[in-house]
Amino acid sequence: MTTYSGSNSSVRNLIEVLRAELTWYPGRPALVARMVLACTSVVLLAEIFRIPGAVLGASFPILISRDNLKATRKTAFQIALACSIGTAEVIVGGMLTAGSPFLHVMWVIVSLFAAFYVISSLNFTSASLTLSAILAIAIRLWDYPIRAETRVESSLYTLLSILIGCVVSVLIETVFSKKSPPDIVLDGISRRLSLVETLLNRPSFADFPSSALRIQLGRAASRGVDDLRQHLANPSYDTGFRDLLATVIALTRQLIELGSNLAESAPDLSVEDQERCRAIARNLASVRSSLGRMECPEWIDLPFTSHSSNPILIEIERTTGLITQSFCSESFRIHWSSPAAAPTTSISEFVTDALQNPEHIKFAVRGTLSAFLCYLFYMSTGWMGLVSSTLTCTLTARRLTGGGRQRQTLRFAGFVLGAGVISLGTEVFILPQLNTIAEFALLSASVVWVGSWIATSGPRIAFAGFQIILSYNLVNLNRFTINTSLVPSRDAVLGIVLGIVAMWLVFDHLWAETSGSSVRSLLLGTLRNLADFKAVAAETPQEANQRLAATSSRINRDFDKLRDLADLYAFESFPKMRRESLVNRSIRTLSPELRAFLLVKTGLLQHMKLAAAEPDAIVREVEEQASSVLHGIANAIESEAPEQLSRRNVDAQELRARVFIEEEKSRDWKDRWKQIEMRLCASLLEIASHLAWRARLNLALEVGDEEAVGDWPIGKIVET
């Protein structure tokens, strides 16, 4: 939703975002507990066995721990391998260039270039970021005037602490995975259905939907059901049971996306729709209770109304009915197998892109110049405590300017909180009072708990949680005694400032790319892909549904990319270009209804496939009319010309009237199948009409047009 208020509204929005991101959701306390246990275990091992350089090892479990054991093992292996390679490069390069200042500087430049090149080519994965971190810290170590043996020993100890962190994280996840529910698939389905049920049980609440529930649904929709599909491969399931679960999983994915869209749009539901919500919620409760018994759920008939309800609510009702039908009809299940997984990039394709894509070289040059500028500053001034400046450059470098500045903001906020507020506070008031290692571990665990809770939020603030823990460890794990000096905290924060300044001066001005340069083409492409979205011919119903679901998922992922790019827009330069403002406003205002359009159109196409008959001519006309509206919106945004938008005409109004008449006939004939089809058609036309209205408003706001939109003048709408 676009906000036309001032700074007070921005502050309220920020508070609302923080409140929603930090709220409880299922599984979050358990994940945080595992992170706290892993980090604290590494701290205790480092203190008991006096392992130096444990800062990274005590912080990396935050990046390793995942919701499932397989993902945790994969991440731990990647981080361990990347850090081992980085340590080998540091030791070999440092030894070969020792004694020659010129060669040493060349080695620093090459190491920084390699770090940024790997970050770009590995697409900013945890492994690439940890590799860059170990290189940045090792460069400072090899600049100290100490013996070569001590440098090698310290580098190996740092690697040892990281490997301990990886092993401890995997062991803890393995132990906790044994305590998982007896059937992870059924439990995962039940939790997702429960979220939608909770949403539908609260339609009359004043805060419907609550921000906490909205973000839980959004997180569940973005995660999808890939984890359930992986567990479904368990050979303990027989063929018939696996087909049933595959059907329910696919429909659950669709239902959670519908619930997320309903929560995001925050509609004002009529009394009739509120009652319908409660009836659907009771049906979902019946489905969840039938999961364990694998019986046909008891169905509660909904009012056979002639009035069109909320479009998303109609599709939620239909999808809930399909889940029930899958329990009761074995012949129905083949139509709803989950879409095939998206193809992964092969090793040869990755190597070809890494070696031939010039963007990786440009990115590495930008990052190297920024980090080397920090290196020159703290080496020339002898202020070695500013090493966090080079680490800031490696951890916050992003291809888009907005993404980098978002990371810089989160890193600065995390370090101010972790190194400034928490570390300074503990050094002054708490650490002087501690006498045992158990007390120190308890203090460390409490700080890790705060950082882990933030790190398990959404991508908007999660990075700050890792920075809180990293900064606290950087101040308090640099020696085997209680640290009461304020210098490490001061240098850590000032190093962040130096790194951010270097990134702004160099990285953000050399071959810089903003979100506005890529989001426009993505928005236009997504609009046109959605307009052209239709059923394709296939040999079997299963194949047809897989293609349909795959296309729908691809368009939905494009919506997620648009949302992320729109979030980055706020961190980029001011003033904004007129074209960029229009695109950003279009994303903010049109995205919820575009998602609704996708879900309703997907439902209509699925409904037509299940009918196993040629669709009526009126359905084809509805598809063409709705598609023409989206093409018009895309053309209007591209040319910034409101006249490209299709206005209400006699043919469109006649089509809506015909759909309404067909819906009335199906109600009188008690033909629920036909009525659902006509209601979906009416919903599609209604959403398309509202999209055109919103697009016309966006364009009018951009050009300052004073013409009326509907019955409201533009000036009155802006004022409201």
Side-chain angles (χ1 to χ4, degrees):
M1 179 181 298
T2 301
T3 305
Y4 300 104
S5 54
S7 58
N8 290 336
S9 178
S10 300
V11 172
R12 286 196 300 270
N13 290 339
L14 176 61
I15 294 174
E16 180 66 19
V17 167
L18 292 176
R19 190 177 74 86
E21 290 284 357
L22 298 177
T23 191
W24 176 93
Y25 62 81
R28 186 173 196 170
L31 179 58
V32 169
R34 297 196 298 270
M35 289 180 174
V36 171
L37 185 57
C39 292
T40 307
S41 299
V42 176
V43 170
L44 284 174
L45 290 173
E47 294 292 333
I48 293 173
F49 296 101
R50 301 183 70 84
I51 303 174
V55 173
L56 297 181
S59 305
F60 282 179
I62 302 298
L63 304 177
I64 298 172
S65 298
R66 294 290 187 272
D67 288 327
N68 64 81
L69 180 60
K70 183 177 180 180
T72 300
R73 287 175 175 173
K74 180 180 179 181
T75 305
F77 173 77
Q78 291 174 345
I79 290 178
L81 179 61
C83 292
S84 299
I85 294 174
T87 302
E89 189 274 341
V90 166
I91 294 175
V92 173
M95 293 294 291
L96 291 177
T97 60
S100 173
F102 174 77
L103 290 179
H104 182 78
V105 171
M106 290 298 102
W107 168 70
V108 170
I109 294 175
V110 171
S111 298
L112 290 174
F113 183 88
F116 285 101
Y117 195 90
V118 169
I119 290 174
S120 180
S121 58
L122 291 182
N123 199 25
F124 310 96
T125 59
S126 296
S128 64
L129 295 178
T130 53
L131 171 62
S132 67
I134 202 171
L135 289 176
I137 290 181
I139 287 173
R140 181 197 65 166
L141 174 64
W142 284 77
D143 283 325
Y144 277 123
I146 55 178
R147 293 186 307 150
E149 294 83 354
T150 305
R151 294 170 180 171
V152 173
E153 186 178 284
S154 299
S155 299
L156 292 176
Y157 272 126
T158 300
L159 175 63
L160 175 62
S161 70
I162 293 173
L163 296 179
I164 291 175
C166 293
V167 172
V168 168
S169 298
V170 172
L171 289 177
I172 290 175
E173 291 292 336
T174 302
V175 171
F176 275 85
S177 67
K178 304 299 183 182
K179 302 181 181 299
S180 298
D183 197 311
I184 298 177
V185 175
L186 293 180
D187 182 70
I189 294 173
S190 180
R191 282 191 287 106
R192 288 165 171 82
L193 295 180
S194 177
L195 283 175
V196 181
E197 180 186 341
T198 303
L199 173 70
L200 298 178
N201 268 325
R202 302 178 177 180
S204 58
F205 283 29
D207 62 341
F208 174 82
S210 65
S211 57
L213 184 59
R214 184 165 61 246
I215 200 166
Q216 288 184 46
L217 285 164
R219 185 177 285 110
S222 63
R223 287 182 57 190
V225 293
D226 289 342
D227 57 330
L228 301 183
R229 291 174 55 201
Q230 292 174 1
H231 291 299
L232 192 60
N234 192 327
S236 62
Y237 297 127
D238 59 60
T239 304
F241 188 48
R242 185 180 291 109
D243 288 344
L244 169 61
L245 290 181
T247 301
V248 175
I249 287 173
L251 291 169
T252 299
R253 174 187 65 84
Q254 186 167 311
L255 189 64
I256 202 72
E257 289 176 355
L258 288 163
S260 175
N261 190 272
L262 182 65
E264 187 68 25
S265 59
D268 291 327
L269 299 176
S270 64
V271 175
E272 183 183 40
D273 281 350
Q274 292 179 17
E275 184 59 37
R276 183 173 293 272
C277 282
R278 298 186 186 94
I280 298 174
R282 291 193 291 271
N283 284 332
L284 282 174
S286 176
V287 169
R288 290 199 304 116
S289 65
S290 302
L291 273 174
R293 304 190 306 269
M294 288 298 115
E295 299 175 353
C296 185
E298 296 181 4
W299 183 255
I300 301 173
D301 286 329
L302 275 68
F304 202 69
T305 178
S306 61
H307 300 289
S308 233
S309 302
N310 181 280
I312 297 300
L313 199 56
I314 295 173
E315 185 59 11
I316 289 177
E317 175 188 342
R318 190 187 72 90
T319 305
T320 304
L322 293 177
I323 294 176
T324 303
Q325 190 175 350
S326 67
F327 277 94
C328 305
S329 174
E330 294 186 5
S331 61
F332 176 76
R333 297 171 188 171
I334 192 173
H335 296 281
W336 293 95
S337 295
S338 298
T344 56
T345 304
S346 65
I347 296 179
S348 59
E349 292 174 338
F350 166 75
V351 172
T352 301
D353 176 75
L355 296 179
Q356 296 182 0
N357 191 343
E359 294 300 320
H360 299 321
I361 297 178
K362 293 180 179 179
F363 183 89
V365 170
R366 297 163 62 198
T368 301
L369 291 176
S370 303
F372 190 67
L373 180 63
C374 298
Y375 176 81
L376 287 178
F377 180 84
Y378 73 71
M379 285 297 294
S380 61
T381 59
W383 200 343
M384 302 300 292
L386 298 182
V387 66
S388 57
S389 59
T390 56
L391 190 58
T392 297
C393 296
T394 58
L395 292 181
T396 63
R398 282 295 181 269
R399 192 164 287 112
L400 297 178
T401 302
R405 291 185 177 175
Q406 181 192 36
R407 283 256 170 163
Q408 292 155 16
T409 303
L410 294 176
R411 178 164 167 78
F412 181 76
F415 257 71
V416 168
L417 185 58
V421 178
I422 297 178
S423 291
L424 283 176
T426 56
E427 288 172 3
V428 173
F429 300 106
I430 300 178
L431 288 178
Q433 312 301 324
L434 301 184
N435 297 311
T436 66
I437 191 173
E439 295 172 342
F440 181 79
L442 184 62
L443 174 63
S444 177
S446 62
V447 176
V448 172
W449 184 88
V450 174
S452 299
W453 192 269
I454 298 175
T456 52
S457 303
R460 288 177 172 177
I461 66 170
F463 188 66
F466 173 64
Q467 297 307 310
I468 291 174
I469 298 171
L470 180 62
S471 60
Y472 179 82
N473 290 335
L474 190 63
V475 172
N476 292 281
L477 291 183
N478 57 0
R479 63 184 67 181
F480 296 110
T481 181
I482 292 178
N483 185 14
T484 56
S485 172
L486 304 182
V487 173
S489 298
R490 179 203 65 189
D491 289 351
V493 174
L494 292 180
I496 300 293
V497 175
L498 175 60
I500 292 175
V501 170
M503 293 292 283
W504 284 3
L505 292 177
V506 180
F507 194 86
D508 291 350
H509 290 86
L510 182 62
W511 296 312
E513 181 182 356
T514 63
S515 62
S517 59
S518 55
V519 70
R520 184 170 180 270
S521 59
L522 180 60
L523 174 62
L524 297 177
T526 303
L527 282 170
R528 286 165 178 150
N529 289 336
L530 182 55
D532 297 332
F533 177 39
K534 60 184 63 177
V536 294
E539 295 182 359
T540 63
Q542 184 179 18
E543 182 182 356
N545 184 69
Q546 284 185 345
R547 292 183 179 180
L548 192 67
T551 304
S552 176
S553 298
R554 178 173 54 80
I555 297 175
N556 215 16
R557 286 194 297 270
D558 289 340
F559 284 135
D560 292 336
K561 294 177 184 177
L562 287 171
R563 179 196 59 204
D564 294 340
L565 290 173
D567 287 340
L568 301 182
Y569 180 79
F571 292 90
E572 294 179 349
S573 58
F574 293 90
K576 309 293 187 183
M577 295 176 58
R578 172 180 166 183
R579 176 175 294 182
E580 292 178 351
S581 299
L582 173 61
V583 171
N584 184 66
R585 185 183 294 117
S586 298
I587 294 174
R588 299 287 186 187
T589 57
L590 300 182
S591 287
E593 286 178 287
L594 285 173
R595 285 183 185 268
F597 185 97
L598 172 64
L599 293 169
V600 172
K601 189 169 185 179
T602 302
L604 178 60
L605 295 176
Q606 290 171 344
H607 193 81
M608 291 159 54
K609 281 293 180 183
L610 289 175
E614 285 296 321
D616 296 339
I618 189 173
V619 178
R620 293 298 187 195
E621 290 183 46
V622 169
E623 285 190 89
E624 293 174 1
Q625 173 64 25
S627 297
S628 67
V629 171
L630 292 190
H631 278 298
I633 294 174
N635 295 335
I637 295 176
E638 184 175 30
S639 61
E640 300 182 36
E643 57 271 12
Q644 294 283 348
L645 294 171
S646 57
R647 293 184 176 273
R648 289 179 176 270
N649 52 51
V650 177
D651 294 337
Q653 295 180 14
E654 180 185 349
L655 180 59
R656 293 168 68 92
R658 287 164 54 198
V659 169
F660 180 78
I661 292 173
E662 290 295 326
E663 184 181 347
E664 287 284 319
K665 290 181 179 178
S666 62
R667 184 186 68 84
D668 294 339
W669 297 341
K670 302 296 182 181
D671 186 352
R672 180 172 286 274
W673 191 270
K674 182 69 173 179
Q675 191 202 22
I676 291 176
E677 184 176 68
M678 289 298 103
R679 288 171 68 183
L680 289 172
C681 288
S683 298
L684 201 63
L685 291 175
E686 179 183 348
I687 296 173
S689 175
H690 207 249
L691 281 168
W693 184 89
R694 282 190 177 273
R696 186 174 294 110
L697 174 60
N698 289 337
L699 288 163
L701 289 170
E702 197 62 35
V703 301
D705 195 352
E706 291 298 330
E707 72 175 41
V709 178
D711 296 328
W712 288 70
I714 294 296
K716 184 63 176 176
I717 294 176
V718 175
E719 180 183 348
T720 303

